[in-house]
Amino acid sequence: MSATRKAAVHTTARTSAHTAPDTGRQPVKVSIVVPTHDTGETVLTGLRSFLAQSMPRSEFEIIYVDDESSDDTVALLEAEIARQDAQETARVLRIDHSGWPGRPRNVGTDAARGEFVHYVDDDDWLAPEALERTYARARETSADIVIGRMAGHGRQAPRALFEQPMASCDLREDTTLLASMTVHKLFRTDFLRAHGLRFPEGRVRLEDHMFTLRAFLLTDRVATVHDYTCYHWVRHADGKHNVSYERIDPAPYIDSVRKVLAILDAPDTHVPAGRHRNRLTAKWYGKKALERIAGRRLLDQPAERRAAWFEAVGALAAELPEEADTALPTRLRVVAALARHGDLALAEEQAAFETGVVQRPRVESTRSQGAALRMRCTSSLVRERGRGRTAAPLVFLRPDERRLRLCLPPRVADVETAAEVADFAKAVRRSNVRGQLRHREGGTVLSVPTTWQVAEVPAERAAADSGPYSRLHNLCAKAAARLRGRTGEPDARTLRYTAEFTLDPATADHGAPLAPGTWDVHFQLGVGGWRTSKPLRGHTLRVPDDAASAPPPGKRTPHGRRELESAAAS
């Protein structure tokens, strides 16, 4: 850590009392800041969750900043605030229309009296103990930022960040925080003001990433609440309530990616060149740029927009040093090579090849262990084809002991730079394999400790062993023969993963019992940039909604075992 940054952090730590704006009101522990615009009745879900917090209302405030709604959003808020007699806790500020959440959040932050500010979107909500737990965690760890465990509704929330307790993560040394770049967090107000942390105003894409990246790089004190779901993150199927779901123009969007990356060069947030800088760059270069010209993200666009996206991403690729590609997952390294090569037709061919790459897990065995269930599963990467979803295994070549090359489409493989980066050997060793539990009612996703191994299986044998897949044997045999004829490398392989994990309702939530409801069992497989989580159909945990029957942590009861077994057998 630089001397300048140490001094800044020390100044923040030295602050013993938060000074609220001169509003005539007493300081509070937390200010919830919510930007609104034409949200409608959906806005009441969040408001009611705030007013139902376990933290006393006198200890927090709710600040809605309405960006000149044209509907009844403000009237709905004011009526509910009055109905719940919450005028001392909640207020609505009105501003001229800015068209984006940045300015409303800045206005709310300026008005905040809280020792901490918690940003919430207008259609999201908080669990009952969210403020109490995040605030307590901040005081316990002296954190400048606290991230509460999230659940996604219609969208995928970060998970890996909450698998272990975290008290003082530092983005300058660790990439764990890259899993959560939205602003739905608790921020120490004096930290925000000391560093002049503001949201870009106007119609700026990735404005929350710009804010959060700067914040993460300005402190080494970021903590999590990993064992309680605090934040419920919503995406509506109709695409309403969020301006960022509007049609995206490629060139301005990629300019926003450039602005995010420029933060890595700013005087107070500079990250020196090297491996860690490349890993940070890959977050936006890969996920926000290259993914736009890969798979369905490219093919689902009309021809004109495909060309516009390819041109915009290609321009960014040309500006970055080639060493920036080294931190990308393997499949995106291939996409980056094609972006630099500049041939849209080849990118479309690779995108068509990637489309349909999934895993197909299968439960091999289950056995009871007291109140728990031990599961053994296998899975392979396959390519589904057509409406009948005929599948063929994803094929790799093993030219020698060190390399395991993905078998690319022939014309793509002829691009030397693409073929060179298609080595999956290291990616396979670093595969992400885990059993998961997904709460059907609440959205929480929990990973369970998993042991796994991967085996390389000759392509022809993999096809012969896969009886349920129609035409699989012939497809694999033809693919292997074609590879032999074209490359002279007869060793065509597929990958087969075997994993085991234990499900125990009494301890599955970080040593605590699972919440009541239905928990679906999933199997997640990630390798080289492909990551999918598939349900293990017929295997479900049903936890009764009865506190008296719920076993305490560490206790296993016959009742819990019966629930697990009956659901798994259904």
Side-chain angles (χ1 to χ4, degrees):
M1 185 188 301
S2 69
T4 302
R5 183 159 175 258
K6 283 182 179 179
V9 171
H10 182 64
T11 299
T12 304
R14 221 176 31 227
T15 304
S16 58
H18 166 67
T19 302
D22 187 11
T23 61
R25 299 186 178 196
Q26 292 297 313
V28 291
K29 291 179 177 178
V30 181
S31 296
I32 303 172
V33 172
V34 189
T36 63
H37 177 73
D38 288 353
T39 314
E41 288 193 7
T42 308
V43 78
L44 297 180
T45 302
L47 175 57
R48 289 165 181 161
S49 77
F50 308 152
L51 293 175
Q53 289 293 299
S54 58
M55 179 180 283
R57 290 187 184 181
S58 61
E59 296 181 358
F60 68 94
E61 66 174 347
I62 309 162
I63 304 173
Y64 283 93
V65 183
D66 186 73
D67 199 42
E68 201 172 6
S69 288
S70 60
D71 66 357
D72 58 352
T73 296
V74 171
L76 287 167
L77 285 170
E78 291 177 339
E80 182 67 16
I81 291 169
R83 188 184 74 81
Q84 295 212 31
D85 194 24
Q87 292 90 339
E88 293 298 314
T89 301
R91 52 192 164 131
V92 182
L93 307 180
R94 306 187 194 202
I95 63 172
D96 293 337
H97 187 56
S98 69
W100 218 252
R103 184 162 184 266
R105 287 180 180 140
N106 288 337
V107 170
T109 305
D110 290 341
R113 297 180 292 128
E115 181 184 354
F116 291 86
V117 171
H118 199 311
Y119 297 107
V120 180
D121 282 350
D122 55 357
D123 47 1
D124 298 341
W125 75 90
L126 298 179
E129 299 175 23
L131 294 186
E132 182 180 0
R133 286 180 181 249
T134 52
Y135 180 80
R137 186 66 169 157
R139 295 302 298 266
E140 172 192 357
T141 61
S142 298
D144 290 319
I145 305 170
V146 177
I147 311 169
R149 191 168 78 187
M150 302 175 71
H153 302 270
R155 66 194 315 159
Q156 183 172 300
R159 296 187 296 273
L161 186 63
F162 308 112
E163 290 182 359
Q164 300 291 335
M166 187 173 73
S168 58
C169 194
D170 185 347
L171 188 61
R172 288 181 177 271
E173 299 175 357
D174 190 334
T175 59
T176 303
L177 294 175
L178 292 178
S180 179
M181 296 305 301
T182 62
V183 299
H184 311 126
K185 303 168 175 59
L186 190 77
F187 293 85
R188 188 179 299 274
T189 310
D190 286 340
F191 166 73
L192 298 180
R193 292 173 179 161
H195 294 286
L197 279 159
R198 309 284 289 178
F199 290 91
E201 298 191 3
R203 298 179 68 84
V204 180
R205 293 279 177 181
L206 301 177
E207 88 291 341
D208 52 345
H209 286 231
M210 297 174 196
F211 178 92
T212 305
L213 177 59
R214 283 204 70 229
F216 280 162
L217 290 173
L218 287 168
T219 182
D220 57 0
R221 296 202 304 270
V222 183
T224 60
V225 173
H226 77 291
D227 55 356
Y228 177 81
T229 299
C230 297
Y231 195 98
H232 290 268
W233 194 25
V234 180
R235 172 181 285 160
H236 292 280
D238 58 11
K240 295 180 180 179
H241 310 303
N242 195 317
V243 293
S244 66
Y245 297 155
E246 296 173 1
R247 177 185 169 110
I248 298 175
D249 294 326
Y253 185 87
I254 297 302
D255 279 342
S256 286
V257 174
R258 290 187 178 94
K259 290 175 183 176
V260 174
L261 295 179
I263 293 170
L264 303 177
D265 287 322
D268 57 347
T269 52
H270 175 71
V271 178
R275 182 181 178 187
H276 189 65
R277 166 67 176 257
N278 293 338
R279 293 168 73 190
L280 298 181
T281 299
K283 165 69 177 181
W284 290 275
Y285 177 37
K287 293 293 185 183
K288 299 300 181 181
L290 294 172
E291 285 283 9
R292 294 280 177 178
I293 58 170
R296 282 288 178 203
R297 296 288 290 276
L298 179 66
L299 297 182
D300 285 348
Q301 301 285 342
E304 182 179 341
R305 282 180 60 78
R306 290 186 195 181
W309 275 111
F310 190 74
E311 180 181 0
V313 175
L316 176 64
E319 296 166 14
L320 295 173
E322 290 191 12
E323 68 175 19
D325 296 3
T326 60
L328 295 168
T330 310
R331 58 171 281 268
L332 288 183
R333 291 187 198 180
V334 176
V335 177
L338 296 177
R340 295 180 189 276
H341 185 68
D343 189 329
L344 173 58
L346 290 181
E348 291 172 334
E349 190 169 336
Q350 177 65 15
F353 169 80
E354 285 194 356
T355 299
V357 173
V358 297
Q359 59 146 331
R360 285 199 169 177
R362 182 168 57 190
V363 176
E364 299 292 340
S365 65
T366 62
R367 66 180 187 273
S368 298
Q369 291 185 341
L373 191 72
R374 183 76 172 171
M375 299 187 71
R376 184 176 185 272
C377 307
T378 59
S379 189
S380 298
L381 287 173
V382 300
R383 290 185 62 223
E384 294 179 337
R385 302 183 180 188
R387 291 186 178 180
R389 301 177 76 82
T390 298
L394 201 62
V395 178
F396 298 81
L397 298 174
R398 173 63 84 176
D400 54 50
E401 292 185 0
R402 294 185 304 105
R403 293 178 295 165
L404 183 69
R405 286 175 40 205
L406 175 65
C407 180
L408 298 170
R411 292 204 322 130
V412 175
D414 288 339
V415 178
E416 185 177 353
T417 52
E420 287 177 353
V421 298
D423 183 5
F424 267 67
K426 185 180 295 185
V428 171
R429 292 194 298 270
R430 297 177 176 176
S431 297
N432 183 292
V433 183
R434 60 190 68 194
Q436 290 182 331
L437 290 169
R438 297 189 171 212
H439 195 210
R440 195 178 296 177
E441 295 84 3
T444 296
V445 179
L446 300 172
S447 294
V448 296
T450 304
T451 59
W452 63 273
Q453 58 185 6
V454 59
E456 296 177 19
V457 180
E460 293 95 331
R461 198 179 92 197
D465 291 346
S466 304
Y469 303 155
S470 62
R471 296 176 56 216
L472 201 54
H473 185 279
N474 289 339
L475 287 169
C476 276
K478 290 178 180 179
R482 185 175 67 251
L483 292 172
R484 281 195 291 270
R486 183 170 61 84
T487 68
E489 298 168 346
D491 203 359
R493 309 287 188 93
T494 66
L495 301 175
R496 180 171 296 169
Y497 289 84
T498 302
E500 292 193 7
F501 51 88
T502 299
L503 306 174
D504 187 344
T507 61
D509 191 350
H510 300 281
L514 293 176
T518 302
W519 292 83
D520 296 313
V521 184
H522 283 235
F523 185 83
Q524 178 179 286
L525 172 61
V527 54
W530 282 299
R531 177 174 294 185
T532 58
S533 183
K534 292 284 189 178
L536 299 176
R537 302 195 183 281
H539 294 270
T540 302
L541 279 68
R542 297 188 181 94
V543 180
D545 189 8
D546 180 359
S549 65
K555 297 290 185 180
R556 298 178 176 178
T557 67
H559 175 79
R561 181 164 61 97
R562 286 196 299 273
E563 281 289 324
L564 187 63
E565 289 183 340
S566 63
S570 63

